DNA sequence: GTTTTCGTTTACGTTAACGTCAACCATGTG
DNA sequence: CACATGGTTGACGTTAACGTAAACGAAAAC
């Protein structure tokens, strides 16, 4: 079951270092809909990519509800003009949110860099025996 | 009570669009220790800055426990060599974590840009009447 | 002077995101 | 065939991060 675009639930759990419970939970929440071989879940490459997206969203601090939105963004929307425009709107919102978050990170990194510098200064001073 | 580096709990709650309950909760967790005027909490400029840091951490998806670490990083550590080295270590860990997170954001932004492009293509195609 | 307006403590309620456990197939291995 | 292995569906437990409500104190407004 390891070749040909097919993954068991354990394959994915091990690869991404999460529990099978977590994966089933995501399915409960409607985030994934793997195929079945009889009773067992069978995951395709697309399912795997989708899970990857979900976990990326988690790392970025999004809730599962938000991730539901985010993930559905990557599926091609319907072809009517109002739907496309709605879709574009949602895309823009998510982008601006992420850009704010990136700015937050930049600020924090700057702060950390300053703290590191001060710390190194203190270390050399201390090592030189100056009280 | 609005001038001279003094803020009431409501001032801060309104400014940062959170509830007073949240601020008191952070205090319970040891994240803040405002002064008191009799029974009432009085927040200094430093307290306000600290709260700002906490909220930034939240936006970045950190837990309050992690934020406790992060915030304490900005206070000058003790001056013994092992403590300074421990401090530097923690700083580096946080930095690498944030850098990973930034990379995640870049990837997601790229994906979003592609989705936006496809969407705009679809829009012009649809507007041109091509089925 | 009393009645709003803020604030305080205490305590129980709630939601998201899983963990944990039980009871039950299915299957392949000795 | 027995049984160990891996998966499945409930169902209840747990933790973090607050929400909400009660019961009270103080001070500011009418």
């Amino acid at each position: 079951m390891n070749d040909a675009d097919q993954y068991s639930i354990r394959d994915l759990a091990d690869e991404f270092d999460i529990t099978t419970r977590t994966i089933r939970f995501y399915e409960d929440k409607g985030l994934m809909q793997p195929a079945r071989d009889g009773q067992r879940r069978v995951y395709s490459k697309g399912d795997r990519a989708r899970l990857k997206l979900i976990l990326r969203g988690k790392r970025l601090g999004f809730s599962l509800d938000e991730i539901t939105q985010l993930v559905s963004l990557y599926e091609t929307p319907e072809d009517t003009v109002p739907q496309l425009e709605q879709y574009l709107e949602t895309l823009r919102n998510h982008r601006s949110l992420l850009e704010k978050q990136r700015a937050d990170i930049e600020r924090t990194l700057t702060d950390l860099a300053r703290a590191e510098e001060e710390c190194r200064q203190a270390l050399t001073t201390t090592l030189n025996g100056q009280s």
Side-chain angles (χ1 to χ4, degrees), chain A residues 117-131:
Chain A
E117 187 48 35
E118 282 172 19
C119 191
R120 260 189 295 274
Q121 294 275 342
L123 253 179
T124 58
T125 314
T126 306
L127 284 175
N128 286 351
Q130 289 138 359
S131 155

Side-chain angles (χ1 to χ4, degrees), chain A residues 2-60:
Chain A
N2 199 7
D3 51 340
D5 294 1
Q6 302 271 316
Y7 309 90
S8 74
I9 195 170
R10 175 127 308 277
D11 289 341
L12 294 184
D14 286 350
E15 175 174 2
F16 296 114
D17 199 35
I18 56 183
T19 68
T20 60
R21 174 69 177 97
T22 298
I23 298 181
R24 282 190 215 99
F25 180 74
Y26 292 162
E27 183 175 346
D28 271 13
K29 293 285 150 178
L31 278 164
M32 308 192 68
Q33 290 145 48
R36 297 275 176 145
D37 172 23
Q39 193 174 222
R40 305 198 161 184
R41 292 167 173 83
V42 179
Y43 296 87
S44 68
K45 262 205 155 178
D47 293 326
R48 180 172 165 281
R50 204 179 169 88
L51 180 55
K52 225 171 173 175
L53 274 179
I54 296 171
L55 297 176
R56 188 201 286 172
K58 289 238 68 185
R59 283 196 305 274
L60 294 178

